[in-house]
Amino acid sequence: MPGTDAEHRAARGEGTDQAAGYAGWEAVYEDNVRRIHRLMYGKVGNRPDAEDLTSQVFTAAFRSLRITATVGEVRAYLLATARTVLATHWQQTLGRQVTVVDVAVDGLEDYGAPGAGHARRPAEERAARILASLPERHREILRLRFFHGCDVREAAAAMGITIANAKVLQHRALRKAAALEADSAGAAG
């Protein structure tokens, strides 16, 4: 019986091409359950909690996950869902959120962003173009909040501004990014 995720995929005749999709929900689960469980076990340190948290990740993800998504998109979504489940777990057990999941430290290098190792998709290029069009402070708040997983307090501290200012700055940055997206969509259409 195969033991690793790659061996399971090979046994099912599946490749590891992240641009391809999954055959069904069972394939999504089989391909990702060991990785998510390993991540959870590494974070909580005991098997029963890791199993509970792993099931919570899949239960939460399957509600809104599209079966037509690529392997990379599914993996990125599951990782984001795992971060949310972990944050809730730590908030309930310790009264403190721990939301950063370092894929290199947690052994999930191949579990990264959609299309990792592949050419950028049009959506990624559009997002990079919009970010590049934003003022530096807007880029910085969005980078800290959404790429580095900082909460508002951490982002404010990193930027040397108040929490209220960080909230306003984030709101303005998102509005400006949405306006830039609308402008580029209008120009293309």
Side-chain angles (χ1 to χ4, degrees):
M1 170 121 181
T4 67
D5 292 328
E7 290 169 339
H8 280 279
R9 281 192 303 273
R12 290 190 312 268
E14 298 173 8
T16 58
D17 181 14
Q18 287 194 8
Y22 286 101
W25 295 116
E26 187 174 324
V28 170
Y29 179 80
E30 288 177 6
D31 188 41
N32 295 287
V33 69
R34 282 190 165 90
R35 284 189 184 102
I36 297 298
H37 184 269
R38 186 175 48 219
L39 168 67
M40 294 302 181
Y41 184 76
K43 294 295 182 184
V44 298
N46 69 67
R47 207 165 297 286
D49 283 347
E51 290 171 1
D52 289 345
L53 293 171
T54 300
S55 68
Q56 288 176 30
V57 168
F58 282 97
T59 301
F62 283 163
R63 285 186 203 128
S64 56
L65 187 63
R66 295 171 304 146
I67 191 62
T68 58
T70 66
V71 172
E73 290 168 335
V74 169
R75 288 179 175 181
Y77 187 78
L78 287 173
L79 194 58
T81 304
R83 182 171 52 194
T84 301
V85 168
L86 274 171
T88 303
H89 171 74
W90 290 127
Q91 183 68 42
Q92 291 172 348
T93 58
L94 301 175
R96 178 173 181 254
Q97 287 186 338
V98 179
T99 58
V100 176
V101 175
D102 187 345
V103 293
V105 171
D106 294 319
L108 300 173
E109 293 86 2
D110 64 334
Y111 215 74
H118 298 283
R120 289 175 112 181
R121 291 201 190 98
E124 293 171 14
E125 290 174 3
R126 190 173 64 242
R129 191 172 50 252
I130 289 169
L131 278 174
S133 300
L134 293 173
E136 178 57 35
R137 288 172 47 89
H138 288 178
R139 270 197 312 270
E140 184 64 17
I141 190 72
L142 295 179
R143 198 176 299 124
L144 288 168
R145 291 284 288 126
F146 300 110
F147 294 126
H148 296 289
C150 295
D151 62 23
V152 174
R153 183 181 317 255
E154 293 167 335
M159 294 181 71
I161 59 178
T162 66
I163 294 171
N165 191 348
K167 289 178 182 180
V168 170
L169 190 59
Q170 177 182 320
H171 176 73
R172 289 178 181 165
L174 290 172
R175 282 185 48 194
K176 176 88 170 163
L180 287 169
E181 168 62 9
D183 289 346
S184 70

